Amino acid sequence: MPLMELKNVCTFYGNIQALRDISLSVEEGEIVTLIGANGAGKSTTLMSICGITSIRSGQILLDGEDISHLSPHKIVSRGLSQVPEGRRIFPQLTVLENLDMGAFLRDDKELVKIDLDEVFEIFPRLAERRNQPGGTLSGGEQQMLAISRALMARPRILLLDEPSLGLAPIIVHNIFEIIKRINTERKTTIFLVEQNANMALKIANKGYVLQNGVIKMADSAEKLLQNAEVRKAYLGL
């Protein structure tokens, strides 16, 4: 049984259909990426999964449980956390306070402390800036903080929305290395939405290509990297 599965999901904005019968699956321990151009429906897919945008039809399953119509906080409590596009940290709160917000729904304080130590080990720069307001961090540091805040919820599956957006190439490389490390060392399953198809497919196990709200292609990441259509449309080759 997949850890997360979408079955024929349709999402509308008013009378405009954004997603058309989206079906995909994410197995436990995998990194799965959803690639596509701007406006393809990638972020809508994530917002539908998280309960922020209601689906019109279909099912979203988490470990076999239908979460399609649960409220966002109940979805988080079941082990799903999202790092939104644009990071959306709390700029007036310190790094430590932002991380505390990520653990808001937890009552296992000893484990929270362990997770905080792990986050600071993964992101030592955040440890150095723990008492600094989030809004004073660089773009790359804010992305690290957004990922860390989501990890503080101890998710079974981490959803990442365009983690490379607006970052310098050297920082993008570091962020993708960290995503891979979170998957391998913390055993966290990852669903990655990303415009940088080349980087995403290099760290993923499998991928889906979304075009105008429709899944046009699905295969192993390795095969998608070699696919002539993908290489021309998304890799610039």
Side-chain angles (χ1 to χ4, degrees), residues 47 52 84-91 98 142 146 149 161:
M47 289 191 291
I52 297 168
E85 181 182 347
R87 301 177 276 277
R88 298 185 190 176
I89 62 161
F90 299 103
N98 269 275
Q142 288 188 18
R149 182 181 60 190
D161 193 357

Side-chain angles (χ1 to χ4, degrees), residues 126-146:
L126 295 183
E128 296 168 7
R129 291 157 171 73
R130 68 179 71 200
N131 296 315
Q132 192 171 320
T136 65
L137 302 180
S138 69
E141 290 165 350
Q142 288 188 18
Q143 186 64 70
M144 294 174 190
L145 179 55

Side-chain angles (χ1 to χ4, degrees), residues 23-84:
S23 293
L24 57 83
S25 64
V26 181
E27 301 290 338
E28 190 160 11
E30 282 188 321
I31 298 178
V32 176
T33 188
L34 180 66
I35 63 173
N38 269 338
K42 304 188 303 298
S43 291
T44 299
T45 302
L46 287 190
M47 289 191 291
S48 298
I49 293 169
C50 294
I52 297 168
T53 301
S54 298
I55 67 172
R56 184 77 60 90
S57 61
Q59 281 186 307
I60 300 170
L61 305 175
L62 184 63
D63 211 11
E65 177 189 2
D66 191 343
I67 62 169
S68 306
H69 302 291
L70 293 182
S71 59
H73 76 275
K74 288 185 177 178
I75 292 172
V76 171
S77 71
R78 281 161 172 76
L80 187 151
S81 290
Q82 181 183 7
V83 180

